[in-house]
Amino acid sequence: MEQSEQNVKKQRPVHLDLQTIRFPATAIASILHRVSGVIMLFAVGILIWLLSESLASAESFAGVQSLFDNFLVKFVVWGILTALGYHLVVGLRHIIMDTGRWEELSSGNASAKAAFVIAAALSITAGIWVW
C-alpha cells in the first residue's frame, strides 16, 4: 500500500453521526423526492381501489363518497396529493438539472428552496380542495 493510501484511510471517519451532519437543501430535496416516490407507490394501490369501488355501482360510489366525510380519509388523500405535487415539482427540477442548469451549489440550493416553496403552495391548495 502506498503512503498516500494509508493517509486517506487514516483521515476517513470511523463513525458518522448522521444526526449532527447538516445536509444542504439539495440533499434534502433529493432524499424527500425518493420518499415521495415510495409514498406514491403505495398510494397507487389505494387510489386504484377507490376507483374500482366507485365504478362498481351507484351504491358503491355513494359508499366511497361517504368515506370522504372521515377526517382520516381526507388526511390520507391530502398526503397523497402533497406527495404527488412535491414529486412532480422536484422531478421537474431534476430534469432541468439534467440539461446542465442549476448544477452549481448556489443555484442548486436556490432551485431546491424554490421547489420547497412551490410544493408547500401546492400542498396548501390541495388541503383547501380536500377540506
Side-chain angles (χ1 to χ4, degrees):
M1 207 178 320
E2 293 180 24
Q3 182 68 22
S4 62
E5 287 181 36
Q6 289 175 348
N7 289 340
V8 168
K9 287 186 178 183
K10 287 180 183 179
Q11 294 173 356
R12 290 183 181 164
V14 177
H15 172 69
L16 287 177
D17 187 6
L18 294 178
Q19 294 176 345
T20 60
I21 295 175
R22 184 176 156 97
F23 291 106
T26 54
I28 295 169
S30 182
I31 292 166
L32 290 177
H33 184 251
R34 292 170 190 238
V35 169
S36 67
V38 171
I39 290 170
M40 288 190 323
L41 176 69
F42 291 105
V44 165
I46 296 169
L47 296 175
I48 289 175
W49 174 77
L50 285 171
L51 179 64
S52 173
E53 285 296 310
S54 70
L55 295 176
S57 67
E59 294 81 24
S60 64
F61 178 80
V64 169
Q65 203 171 19
S66 69
L67 281 177
F68 283 87
D69 293 335
N70 186 338
F71 174 80
L72 184 61
V73 173
K74 286 183 180 182
F75 185 75
V76 168
V77 170
W78 172 76
I80 291 170
L81 291 174
T82 296
L84 177 64
Y86 180 82
H87 198 77
L88 177 69
V89 169
V90 178
L92 289 173
R93 177 183 170 269
H94 280 296
I95 289 173
I96 292 169
M97 288 179 70
D98 286 343
T99 66
R101 294 172 181 83
W102 301 341
E103 289 187 341
E104 292 80 31
L105 185 59
S106 61
S107 60
N109 275 330
S111 67
K113 290 175 183 176
F116 293 148
V117 170
I118 294 167
L122 288 174
S123 178
I124 291 168
T125 303
I128 291 169
W129 182 60
V130 169
W131 274 285

